[in-house]
Amino acid sequence: MKAPASNPQLISPDQVRGWFALLLTHATVTGRIHAVLMERHKISFSTVEILCWLLETEPQSVRALSGRLVSVSPTRASRLVQDLIDAGHLQRGADQGDGRVSLISFTESGRHFAETIKRTFEGTVKKYFVDPLDNEDIAALIRIWGKLETAGLGPS
């Protein structure tokens, strides 16, 4: 897919192409990963992100969890967490330090479910993102992200 024709005045044609290449890459790779997750597990990319973060650190509050997410808003994260609770994958518990806060953790079957999905997710990321690139490409992406993050464009 080509970038839309334009006569940029503030950025060069190559910079315009770079921007649209970034957008197209994001949409293509995440779309492919989402399709595999839906086909194999009937679960969205956003839900997988919640499960993966929770696997890394649990229990945690929905608020803390939603602050780490990149593919979903805090409001949507709350709905997805509730869907996972309703499905029996997650449970709420009281925060012993602050009774106003509920903490989210896995049920036993939910942990197995999340670990299975994480393996699918990682395999799909490997296939559609890691395998087409070499180590220099990955290092360049990390370096580029670092520059954008330093410029104030990282997560808030």
Side-chain angles (χ1 to χ4, degrees), residues 43-52 71 76 80 84 113:
I43 193 167
S44 71
F45 185 89
S46 298
T47 302
V48 171
E49 185 181 7
I50 289 169
L51 294 173
C52 287
S71 70
R76 176 119 171 91
L80 292 172
L84 289 164
F113 174 73

Side-chain angles (χ1 to χ4, degrees), residues 1 25 28 35-36 52 64 71 84 86 138 155:
M1 176 179 209
T25 300
T28 302
V36 170
C52 287
S71 70
L84 289 164
D86 294 345
I138 299 290

